[in-house]
Amino acid sequence: MGALAHSRVVAVLGPTNTGKTHLAIERMLGHATGMIGFPLRLLARENYDRIVRLRGRGAVALVTGEEKIVPPNPRYFVCTVESMPLDRPVEFLAIDEIQLAADPERGHVFTARLLHARGISETMLLGSDTMRALVRRLVPEAEFVERPRFSTLSYVGERKVTRLPPRSAVVAFSVSDVFEIAELVRRQRGGTAVVLGALSPRARNAQVGMYQAGEVDYLVATDAIGMGLNMDVDHVAFARLAKFDGKAPRRLSAAEIGQIAGRAGRHMSDGTFGTTADLGPMEPEVVEAVENHRFDPVTGVFWRNSRLDLRSLDRLVASLDQRPPSALLVRAREADDERALAALRRIPDLAQRARTPDGVRRLWEVCQVPDFRKTMSDAHTRLLAQIFRHLSSGPGRLPEDWVAGHLARMDRGDGDIDTLVARIAHVRTWTYIAHRGDWIRDPAHWQDRARAIEDKLSDALHDRLTQRFVDRRAALLVKRLAGDEDLLAAVTREGTVVVEGHPVGRVDGFRFRPDALGEEEARPLLAAARRVLPADVAARVRRCAADADDRFRLERDGTIAWEGAGIGRLAPGPSFLSPTVAVDDSEFLTPPLREALRRRLAARVEAEVAATLAPLLRLARLPLEGPGRGLAFQLAEAQGCLARAGAEPQIAALSPADRAVLTRAGVRFGAEWIYLAPLLRPAAVELRALLWGAAAGLPPPSAPHPGRLGVPRAEGVPAEFYRAKRDPQLGPRALPVDRLEALAAAARRLARRGPFAATPELASLADARLADLTGMLAALGWRAVVEGETTTFVAAPRRRPAPPAPPRPALGDRFAALDALRGRG
């Protein structure tokens, strides 16, 4: 379609949000036929749907590189700029975003449309006011229409990403930056939509739709949002002001910043723009330019010869290399199709197949198959070579089984975000191929097949993006918490906290455990829980205070559990038998609730001590004379296990009556130790260990397996711990006192016959290896005699001196504590 002398050319120039596209569609629908070219497939599809609603599906065609919907007699064509069927005359023709003629990669296509594409009656050029001077010189007949912005755009400075207002878009220029910011927004605000240029239109629409529907209040995107995506954005925040342009990083121009910032504000609603705190403030001169929509004019546009000579490969290359006819036109950098041509013509058999004009034309068409992965890798070159070989041999069509095999390899919805993006890009190339009706049999079938795969992959990609960057629960809570309305919240019988139908965590004892991995993710959940938990925790404390003793459990680490959750712990008290109780921290426990809980737990511990250690408590009440009472005092002070060597004077002075009283109370007089036999029961052993740990302010060491009688002495564990349990230390091991006495008795029996050796019987009594017996018998006072490899023990034991009193926790008046505890019990 060449220039028409009688066609009216109108340049509608101005900033974003001026209604230029709306005006062009209205003008087109006022003509009998029309065509409009958009810069993006997404925009073409969006406006196609809009026009279909106005004029019906049979009146409108959609033509893009990857999609063609052409009814029998369409009146209006909605296209991408590259795909406009310019051989079809129409009354009205429009080109949107004409300033893209200055884009280094695609600019030559827009320049060609600017110079040569015309409607029979009217041509409309839409774009930035920066193109005014250049359009005036290249298209002297053009009329100019200014369109002021409907709303104002104001700079508001820098803000932290986490402090951005709702309905904000954050703009970065690399996928890694976008993902990093999106992760931060998800943690702080519950979620964000993500828009990348690499997304398929379906995935991008799904992300934008989620934002438009209010499911999330934030959008993180590349500059893909700067080109006409219609969204309700109130604020645009730039996280970066530089981008990679295909060759090197460069700073954005003020006009590019204005194009992106202009997404803020819709129709009559004002918008704001700014930067993130990490980037710092924007330069004042850039701010002034963006706010007033005054940018440096475009002084040159990219051009490539569109009248190509297809008579031979050499002539084609020469025509592509032709110099621009005007100083206003800049020779475009080598495009993807030119790089593909250069690679394919070096392959001998392909150059041989392209010796005729038809072969050259076909090869050039193959070179224009896009690589949506933007890699121009050897894999894409090999694909183009295979396509050309098939098209230039036999029936001149692509084999159906070959096409089916390629599509089948992409028909998989598994993989991460990067994998799905790459797969979608590859299938989009095949969607383009399927729309070449002269390349493939039954193109409609393969178009449907490729589109179905792309839709499947796009849906999977949308799901992956949503799973990674949207916490719908937190997003809803953040939104509701920002308002004054009451939240619908409750706590289930199992302790699950449910807010607005979403489980946000559970009550563990009297503490809230949010369903989040980190502090930032937990913040909105905790804020929501604060609306419901104070009343629930108060009710729980009342229930706890009224519960029976068997609803509480004293764990091996000193924790006091209720309903399976730890709510308190033992702490040092005035005596071994009287520990205090510390209630676990919880922000929902007020001081009165905490004190009520402490009293209930203290009562439970006192009852446990009174029931389990009753034989120890009864020592203070036994009817004994002076020596007996003194021995009972010493035994109580030693927590029921007393070395005999330190109590011989009291034992010798015992009357037969006192000895009988003590024996009936469970006191056993061994050769080495005096002990309370009832305290050897497992429950008493465990409780004594816990009480020792609480009195000493130390965690009790792990208890041995119930089936083991003795245990190796653990490094760093005081000997008094083992004695407080039941197991005095005997050389390298700690042995239950009754087993220790049995070992000593067995050794004495053997000694009556003279020197004796360690035997399996002794090892069994000691629950030890034969090798350990030397140290254990030595600790009992037997002297080892080593002759060669034989060790025997001398018959006469040597009584050990009384051991020094080990350091114990401050216990105060022991019997006073026992009496007090007895009175409480």
Side-chain angles (χ1 to χ4, degrees):
M1 182 184 295
L4 301 174
H6 56 282
S7 175
R8 180 190 182 208
V9 180
V10 179
V12 183
L13 307 179
T16 56
N17 192 25
T18 58
K20 297 186 294 291
T21 304
H22 180 76
L23 172 66
I25 290 175
E26 277 192 337
R27 292 291 301 164
M28 181 177 73
L29 297 181
H31 289 274
T33 59
M35 182 183 300
I36 185 168
F38 291 99
L40 299 174
R41 171 189 174 190
L42 185 67
L43 288 176
R45 181 73 202 211
E46 180 181 298
N47 285 287
Y48 165 79
D49 292 338
R50 175 182 169 187
I51 298 169
V52 163
R53 288 193 294 270
L54 295 173
R55 289 292 186 269
R57 194 168 298 277
V60 192
L62 174 67
V63 182
T64 71
E66 306 154 64
E67 191 171 18
K68 290 182 174 62
I69 302 174
V70 183
N73 296 296
R75 297 171 55 197
Y76 306 106
F77 283 79
V78 181
C79 319
T80 52
V81 170
E82 285 86 347
S83 300
M84 297 173 72
L86 298 179
D87 57 344
R88 189 177 189 112
V90 290
E91 291 289 324
F92 174 91
L93 185 143
I95 309 295
D96 194 22
E97 305 291 0
I98 195 66
Q99 75 276 3
L100 285 179
D103 179 74
E105 294 198 18
R106 302 174 63 202
H108 64 278
V109 178
F110 284 80
T111 299
R113 305 295 183 261
L114 170 69
L115 296 175
H116 306 300
R118 296 291 183 269
I120 297 172
S121 300
E122 183 176 3
T123 301
M124 188 170 282
L125 308 175
L126 315 174
S128 169
D129 197 53
T130 57
M131 289 289 291
R132 178 182 295 273
L134 196 139
V135 170
R136 192 185 302 278
R137 296 183 63 182
L138 290 176
V139 189
E141 70 275 17
E143 306 171 22
F144 290 89
V145 175
E146 292 188 14
R147 299 284 293 189
R149 184 177 166 91
F150 292 140
S151 59
T152 60
L153 186 61
S154 305
Y155 178 68
V156 294
E158 55 185 299
R159 295 181 181 177
K160 289 184 178 180
V161 171
T162 56
R163 299 286 184 180
L164 292 174
R167 315 311 294 169
S168 288
V170 186
V171 179
F173 296 94
S174 71
V175 172
S176 60
D177 284 344
V178 167
F179 284 1
E180 180 181 348
I181 295 167
E183 289 277 11
L184 177 60
V185 176
R186 180 188 65 81
R187 293 194 301 268
Q188 292 282 352
R189 292 291 181 264
T192 179
V194 172
V195 172
L196 307 168
L199 297 187
S200 65
R202 185 182 180 94
R204 197 178 332 179
N205 280 344
Q207 288 288 302
V208 171
M210 185 171 60
Y211 171 83
Q212 286 294 95
E215 295 179 43
V216 292
D217 272 335
Y218 299 90
L219 178 75
V220 183
T222 62
D223 53 344
I225 68 165
M227 200 59 65
L229 285 178
N230 294 316
M231 296 171 294
D232 297 326
V233 175
D234 294 336
H235 178 75
V236 171
F238 288 86
R240 301 287 183 272
L241 287 175
K243 64 178 291 186
F244 184 78
D245 67 356
K247 288 190 173 181
R250 66 170 179 83
R251 191 167 178 82
L252 296 179
S253 68
E256 289 172 315
I257 294 173
Q259 179 74 26
I260 299 168
R263 294 300 105 197
R266 292 287 299 150
H267 196 54
M268 304 303 292
S269 300
D270 295 338
T272 59
F273 70 101
T275 57
T276 61
D278 292 340
L279 181 61
M282 199 175 285
E283 294 87 345
E285 58 273 16
V286 174
V287 171
E288 193 276 335
V290 174
E291 286 186 331
N292 296 291
H293 316 296
R294 288 198 293 265
F295 306 110
D296 293 337
V298 174
T299 58
V301 293
F302 289 94
W303 177 90
R304 187 176 78 177
N305 184 21
S306 58
R307 294 181 171 86
L308 301 179
D309 189 342
L310 299 174
R311 288 176 292 176
S312 70
L313 286 176
D314 290 340
R315 288 176 180 271
L316 172 59
V317 172
S319 61
L320 287 169
D321 287 340
Q322 186 173 325
R323 290 180 172 274
S326 166
L328 300 175
L329 307 177
V330 180
R331 173 69 174 92
R333 67 171 62 164
E334 187 180 49
D336 288 349
D337 51 7
E338 293 179 76
R339 286 193 289 272
L341 178 63
L344 295 181
R345 70 186 295 232
R346 288 195 296 267
I347 301 174
D349 72 300
L350 301 187
Q352 180 70 18
R353 294 167 185 262
R355 288 179 303 167
T356 65
D358 284 344
V360 173
R361 177 185 56 80
R362 182 58 56 88
L363 180 61
W364 180 239
E365 289 174 348
V366 170
C367 290
Q368 291 175 302
V369 172
D371 178 15
F372 287 102
R373 292 170 292 181
K374 301 297 181 185
T375 60
M376 279 308 296
S377 62
D378 291 342
H380 186 68
T381 302
R382 288 195 297 272
L383 174 64
L384 299 185
Q386 288 177 302
I387 291 173
F388 182 61
R389 287 190 180 101
H390 287 305
L391 295 179
S392 58
S393 61
R397 293 183 183 273
L398 301 179
E400 293 192 6
D401 56 347
W402 182 73
V403 175
H406 276 275
L407 289 175
R409 286 193 290 273
M410 290 174 281
D411 191 8
R412 296 172 50 193
D414 60 320
D416 58 14
I417 291 174
D418 293 338
T419 300
L420 290 171
V421 166
R423 208 174 283 156
I424 288 172
H426 196 38
V427 80
R428 287 179 68 188
T429 296
W430 280 95
T431 303
Y432 178 95
I433 293 169
H435 278 89
R436 292 300 309 249
D438 55 336
W439 287 8
I440 193 168
R441 291 187 181 89
D442 194 5
H445 165 74
W446 296 111
Q447 290 164 18
D448 291 344
R449 177 84 173 107
R451 175 52 50 80
I453 295 173
E454 182 180 333
D455 289 349
K456 173 181 176 179
L457 295 174
S458 298
D459 291 343
L461 177 58
H462 173 63
D463 288 343
R464 300 292 192 285
L465 290 169
T466 303
Q467 290 168 9
R468 180 168 174 182
F469 299 120
V470 178
D471 183 343
R472 296 182 186 275
R473 171 187 58 186
L476 172 66
L477 295 179
V478 168
K479 186 177 296 185
R480 293 295 181 87
L481 288 167
D484 296 329
E485 56 188 301
D486 291 335
L487 290 173
L488 297 176
V491 182
T492 67
R493 293 179 60 87
E494 295 77 23
T496 302
V497 181
V498 180
V499 180
E500 295 289 340
H502 294 279
V504 299
R506 61 176 293 103
V507 180
D508 187 4
F510 302 102
R511 288 173 294 183
F512 174 61
R513 308 282 190 189
D515 291 341
L517 299 177
E519 180 180 350
E520 291 178 346
E521 294 95 328
R523 195 168 295 146
L525 307 186
L526 184 59
R530 287 194 181 106
R531 301 281 187 97
V532 65
L533 283 183
D536 179 78
V537 167
R540 281 173 168 262
V541 171
R542 290 192 294 270
R543 191 168 79 248
C544 177
D547 257 352
D549 282 352
D550 60 4
R551 299 284 292 170
F552 299 85
R553 179 179 173 83
L554 193 56
E555 305 289 359
R556 287 185 173 183
D557 62 354
T559 297
I560 305 169
W562 174 69
E563 293 190 346
I567 59 174
R569 61 191 182 280
L570 297 180
S575 74
F576 171 80
L577 296 174
S578 299
T580 59
V581 172
V583 176
D584 286 348
D585 290 335
S586 170
E587 67 172 287
F588 302 107
L589 285 175
T590 62
L593 292 176
R594 185 181 297 275
E595 178 58 21
L597 191 59
R598 188 201 64 76
R599 288 197 302 268
R600 179 63 186 94
L601 297 185
R604 175 65 184 92
V605 172
E606 290 171 5
E608 179 78 15
V609 171
T612 306
L613 302 183
L616 189 61
L617 300 177
R618 282 197 294 268
L619 287 175
R621 304 197 300 270
L622 294 177
L624 300 169
E625 301 298 328
R629 185 170 177 80
L631 182 61
F633 172 82
Q634 283 185 278
L635 189 58
E637 188 178 55
Q639 294 98 48
C641 188
L642 177 65
R644 180 163 186 150
E648 287 293 358
Q650 289 87 347
I651 296 173
L654 282 178
S655 66
D658 281 355
R659 181 181 283 268
V661 169
L662 289 169
T663 300
R664 284 195 299 271
V667 177
R668 299 294 178 262
F669 295 89
E672 302 290 332
W673 295 85
I674 302 169
Y675 58 94
L676 265 172
L679 298 189
L680 299 181
R681 298 187 183 107
V685 170
E686 291 296 335
L687 182 57
R688 288 158 65 199
L690 289 178
L691 294 176
W692 178 89
L698 297 172
S702 300
H705 189 279
R708 298 302 306 273
L709 296 172
V711 293
R713 181 185 173 188
E715 184 177 352
V717 178
E720 56 266 27
F721 161 71
Y722 293 106
R723 192 179 308 129
K725 284 182 57 185
R726 63 172 182 176
D727 304 343
Q729 180 185 334
L730 190 64
R733 294 179 71 79
L735 196 65
V737 64
D738 56 342
R739 186 53 62 100
L740 185 154
E741 290 294 338
L743 174 64
R748 287 195 301 272
R749 287 196 307 272
L750 291 172
R752 294 191 189 105
R753 298 191 294 270
F756 63 93
T759 67
E761 176 194 3
L762 294 177
S764 175
L765 287 170
D767 191 25
R769 300 175 304 169
L770 286 171
D772 291 334
L773 280 175
T774 298
M776 298 180 75
L777 290 171
L780 287 171
W782 301 95
R783 182 164 56 87
V785 178
V786 180
E787 294 180 358
E789 297 183 358
T790 303
T791 301
T792 58
F793 295 90
V794 174
R798 294 181 290 107
R799 181 65 65 186
R800 293 165 295 154
R808 297 187 178 89
L811 303 178
D813 185 345
R814 273 59 171 191
F815 275 120
L818 293 172
D819 290 339
L821 187 59
R822 179 187 60 190
R824 288 194 296 268

